Amino acid sequence: MKKESIVVLGAGLVGSLMATYLARRQYQVQMFEKRPDIRSSENDSGRSINLALSHRGLKALNQVGLLSEISKICLPMRGRMMHDVKGALTFQPYGKEGQFINSVSRNHLNTILMNAAETSGVRMHFQEECLAAEPDHSITHLAGPQGTHQVRSDYILGADGAYSGLREALRKTDRFDFSQYYLPHGYKELTITPSAGKFALDPEALHIWPREQYMLIALPNLDKSFTCTLFLPFEGACSFENLVTEKQVSDLFEQSFGDVVEFMPDLLNEFFEHPTSSMVTIRCAPWIKGKACLVGDASHAIVPFYGQGMNAGFEDCRLLDAALDEYQDDFLKAFGAFQKKRIPDANAIAELALQNFIEMRDLVADEEFLLRKKIERRLNKLYPDQWVPLYSRVTFSDERYSNAQRLGKVQRSIMDKVMREPNIHSDWETMDLSGIIGDLKKQADLT
């Protein structure tokens, strides 16, 4: 073992993977988690959205040899299936033929990652909450079953989520920038049960019921159920605030999601028993103070509407590991290089996730939007190397988020112009698209 000792705060998805990366480098790693060990406690039902695992996350998992095991708990989703108020379906592929994202259970995935960390030699401690930290001296103050105590190490990695104890300690230091923005919408987790022992809906799609100011989504599970999530404003005419009786809930679902109500026999119990959770975007800088560094949601929590929160966190682990390679295990140089490269990308995916909420909620059933996507798919098919959709850049590659965002803005500007063409609705299949590619190259070179 190398002499360096490292404390990793948080045994969630990113903390467990980060600890595994570090243990594989032969460091002495201890991981502290404020919750009980989920492997020996009841399922935390109703508190988390199912996860969409895609290229960036898979690449990081593959580097630590976990891809094969995790693939066994994944269900491929090849596109969005939109449900209108009358129950009519429209399918939008996510990418090219053969491309898909994966529905995966948070708890199943977290269990595999915890086991991998433990197998790699990480010492794990549960019900240990970070109360404070001294980043310059790499001292962590904790409260656990035996009372308060402190742990000295060479470095501290904070992967303790959106409400990070380490970040709170850094926030009290000089020249630390911090902002948080809560969506006016919350979410509640529900269940679509199997029908006659089979999936009630197409299991190879992420299902969306877009209803402008609110929406429902559903992701498949291995037991042939779907994790179904209702997104509603906290306050207003149609909101969680005003859904207080069983009749009000039943009326909303019958009117807005009538094609799926029959598959939700426990709807009312789940609605009133499961918590209503909030969604926050967190930005901060710097991610490093002294010998401490933040990763994952602790440094860049985002809303879930691009399916990139977990994937971005896993990519953090891979990129920090790469920086340690580049700087020959000089942690302070690696921390600095990691932060310099990653903060612009974290800011970019945060903005993209907020924008995608509007797309999923308001636009995926809009005729103009659907036509725009058809034209973009045709451009991608004819010019696959030049016109790569923003979604594909984000989801099916490890291109920097900031670059994907930059090129996405260029493409959106060009498509705005295309959609203003006379007779676009009737002529789009026969129009000459070569000029669009020329515009793309010219504008991309200028930005």
Side-chain angles (χ1 to χ4, degrees), residues 2 4 6 21-22 24-27 155 320-335:
K2 295 177 181 176
E4 288 90 343
I6 303 169
Y21 266 101
L22 293 168
R24 284 166 58 89
R25 300 184 75 89
Q26 300 298 303
Y27 296 117
Y155 303 98
L320 183 51
D321 182 69
L324 287 168
D325 276 343
E326 182 178 356
Y327 292 98
Q328 299 178 321
D329 292 280
D330 184 321
F331 269 81
L332 297 185
K333 287 183 179 178
F335 284 170

Side-chain angles (χ1 to χ4, degrees), residues 209-223:
W209 291 257
R211 301 295 183 261
E212 295 187 354
Q213 290 305 306
Y214 58 98
M215 70 174 177
L216 191 72
I217 69 169
L219 283 77
N221 295 311
L222 292 172
D223 66 359

Side-chain angles (χ1 to χ4, degrees), residues 138-151:
S138 197
I139 299 173
T140 308
H141 297 265
L142 299 151
Q146 306 304 317
T148 59
H149 60 109
Q150 64 183 39
V151 176

Side-chain angles (χ1 to χ4, degrees), residues 147-354:
T148 59
H149 60 109
Q150 64 183 39
V151 176
R152 295 177 180 270
S153 59
D154 291 300
Y155 303 98
I156 309 171
L157 269 294
D160 46 344
Y163 303 100
S164 166
L166 178 62
R167 189 190 65 239
E168 183 62 20
L170 302 190
R171 196 170 67 83
K172 296 174 182 176
T173 63
D174 189 37
R175 298 173 62 203
F176 187 85
D177 294 326
F178 171 79
S179 69
Q180 64 182 27
Y181 165 71
Y182 281 93
L183 277 182
H185 291 68
Y187 71 88
K188 189 180 291 286
E189 188 179 86
L190 307 166
T191 306
I192 294 174
T193 60
S195 175
K198 298 180 180 180
F199 284 105
L201 307 172
D202 182 349
E204 294 196 354
L206 187 155
H207 294 261
I208 307 177
W209 291 257
R211 301 295 183 261
E212 295 187 354
Q213 290 305 306
Y214 58 98
M215 70 174 177
L216 191 72
I217 69 169
L219 283 77
N221 295 311
L222 292 172
D223 66 359
K224 296 184 170 56
S225 68
F226 283 80
T227 297
C228 190
T229 309
L230 175 66
F231 297 94
L232 270 179
F234 279 107
E235 301 162 343
C238 182
S239 67
F240 284 116
E241 176 186 56
N242 285 323
L243 289 175
V244 295
T245 69
E246 291 189 354
K247 185 179 186 305
Q248 288 172 327
V249 174
S250 295
D251 287 349
L252 172 68
F253 273 77
E254 290 288 351
Q255 293 164 13
S256 297
F257 316 117
D259 63 329
V260 77
V261 172
E262 64 177 303
F263 307 121
M264 304 179 75
D266 205 29
L267 168 63
L268 296 177
N269 285 335
E270 289 188 331
F271 187 90
F272 290 106
E273 290 178 5
H274 288 178
T276 302
S277 301
S278 59
M279 293 173 285
V280 65
T281 298
I282 287 175
R283 300 183 187 190
C284 66
W287 294 355
I288 304 160
K289 285 282 185 176
K291 298 178 179 180
C293 179
L294 300 170
V295 294
D297 283 358
S299 53
H300 54 80
I302 63 175
V303 295
F305 302 107
Y306 225 117
Q308 287 297 302
M310 169 186 63
N311 291 289
F314 285 176
E315 190 171 57
D316 284 352
C317 300
R318 181 179 66 82
L319 293 176
L320 183 51
D321 182 69
L324 287 168
D325 276 343
E326 182 178 356
Y327 292 98
Q328 299 178 321
D329 292 280
D330 184 321
F331 269 81
L332 297 185
K333 287 183 179 178
F335 284 170
F338 167 72
Q339 172 183 257
K340 183 178 180 180
K341 180 176 183 178
R342 199 62 176 155
I343 287 181
D345 292 333
N347 291 338
I349 192 56
E351 291 173 15
L352 290 171
L354 288 167

Side-chain angles (χ1 to χ4, degrees), residues 405-421:
Q405 182 189 41
R406 178 182 68 85
L407 294 174
K409 289 178 179 178
V410 172
Q411 289 175 317
R412 183 170 68 246
S413 174
I414 291 170
M415 285 303 301
D416 287 345
K417 181 180 176 182
V418 169
M419 294 302 292
R420 291 193 294 268
E421 288 285 328

